Amino acid sequence: MNTDKILVFIQKLPTTLAAILLITWSKPYSSDLPLPHLWGYTFSMPLRLGLTAVGGAFLYYSLFYTKPKKIKKIETYEDKICPQCGEVFIADYIPEDDFCSKCKIPLEPLKDFYKRHPELKDLEETPPEIMNDIK
């Protein structure tokens, strides 16, 4: 059985019991039964109906209310690069005007930059070979 459902049931149990007790104690359904009283004061019918309405609201809340799930805001940050000088600007440090501070030209998204501009890819550097003596 799901433990979350058990915890929710345990959390809602006091409210449900309080609602049922409030409805039965106010006795709105019969005028033949002894009237409820508190500190020597007898409750009138409008007050008994009001207590029943409050008990009904508690009962409705405890049985049917579910807490709405928070929508997590997903922020995507996109790094940018200057196509002329090749300087990379990390998402938090991109200038507000979206222009390179040196070249004064618009920045482009870094993602797939070298697919769009294969001529700017530095092919002369070869990756270092794997050393055999790595432990």
Side-chain angles (χ1 to χ4, degrees), residues 9 12 15-16 20 56-66:
F9 174 76
K12 290 184 174 188
T15 309
T16 307
I20 292 170
F58 282 171
L59 191 61
Y60 178 80
Y61 168 77
S62 66
L63 294 179
F64 300 113
Y65 178 77
T66 55

Side-chain angles (χ1 to χ4, degrees), residues 26-52:
S26 64
K27 301 175 190 169
Y29 40 82
S30 176
S31 59
D32 297 338
L33 295 173
L35 297 176
H37 60 281
L38 186 64
W39 294 303
Y41 296 103
T42 305
F43 290 174
S44 64
M45 185 53 101
L47 185 57
R48 290 168 40 196
L49 291 174
L51 288 173
T52 304

Side-chain angles (χ1 to χ4, degrees), residues 82-120:
C82 174
Q84 187 171 2
C85 67
E87 184 177 353
V88 175
F89 292 89
I90 298 175
D92 289 340
Y93 301 101
I94 295 175
E96 289 182 18
D97 57 355
D98 243 7
F99 282 84
C100 178
S101 55
K102 297 176 187 172
C103 309
K104 306 296 183 201
I105 62 170
L107 300 174
E108 291 188 26
L110 184 59
K111 185 177 180 181
D112 298 331
F113 176 76
Y114 291 108
K115 287 182 182 176
R116 292 188 305 269
H117 303 283
E119 70 278 359
L120 297 177

